[in-house]
Amino acid sequence: MKKNFINFIATIIIALLLSQVLPWWSVMLASFITAILFSLKKSAVFFVPFLAIAVFWMLYAFWLSNANDFMLSKKIAVLLPLQGNPYLLILVTGVIGGLAAGIAAVSGKQCASLLKSKA
């Protein structure tokens, strides 16, 4: 449980730092790195980074959207089949980011396992 929490916090911190200089895929790099550094077991390899990045992206999207009274979010939510609901768009944003991070973390775990078996 402690390792899960450390991985969760480390993923958010690394993603926050990398997102300042890299594009959206920096969250995948952060998840990949933390999966190599902190060995998690079974489904936690996917779900811990998934939740970390989903929370990070939803909070960041809410913070950015709140600054302009959700005007852009409402317009984008109208274009997508979300009935103009900006909060649903923020949820979808978090899920997409979480999926990308979870898949990257599984890839990182597989790379770490491959490197260990070669050594």
Side-chain angles (χ1 to χ4, degrees):
M1 190 63 147
K2 185 177 182 181
K3 211 178 248 192
N4 291 348
F5 184 72
I6 291 171
N7 187 302
F8 184 87
I9 298 299
T11 302
I12 289 177
I13 291 171
I14 294 172
L16 181 62
L17 294 173
L18 290 177
S19 68
Q20 301 301 310
V21 292
L22 295 174
W24 69 270
W25 49 264
S26 63
V27 297
M28 295 174 72
L29 187 59
S31 298
F32 188 88
I33 291 168
T34 56
I36 290 174
L37 296 177
F38 304 104
S39 178
L40 297 178
K41 305 262 190 259
K42 300 183 181 181
S43 62
V45 173
F46 178 82
F47 286 110
V48 171
F50 175 90
L51 290 173
I53 298 304
V55 166
F56 171 61
W57 269 19
M58 285 190 290
L59 288 174
Y60 191 57
F62 181 83
W63 182 63
L64 291 175
S65 297
N66 194 32
N68 65 8
D69 200 29
F70 298 95
M71 285 186 353
L72 184 60
S73 296
K74 289 175 187 174
K75 291 178 181 181
I76 293 173
V78 167
L79 294 174
L80 299 173
L82 302 176
Q83 291 88 30
N85 188 344
Y87 302 108
L88 194 55
L89 179 64
I90 289 171
L91 179 68
V92 169
T93 300
V95 169
I96 291 171
L99 284 173
I103 292 169
V106 171
S107 298
K109 175 71 172 176
Q110 293 298 321
C111 286
S113 297
L114 182 66
L115 293 174
K116 281 182 184 176
S117 68
K118 297 279 183 177

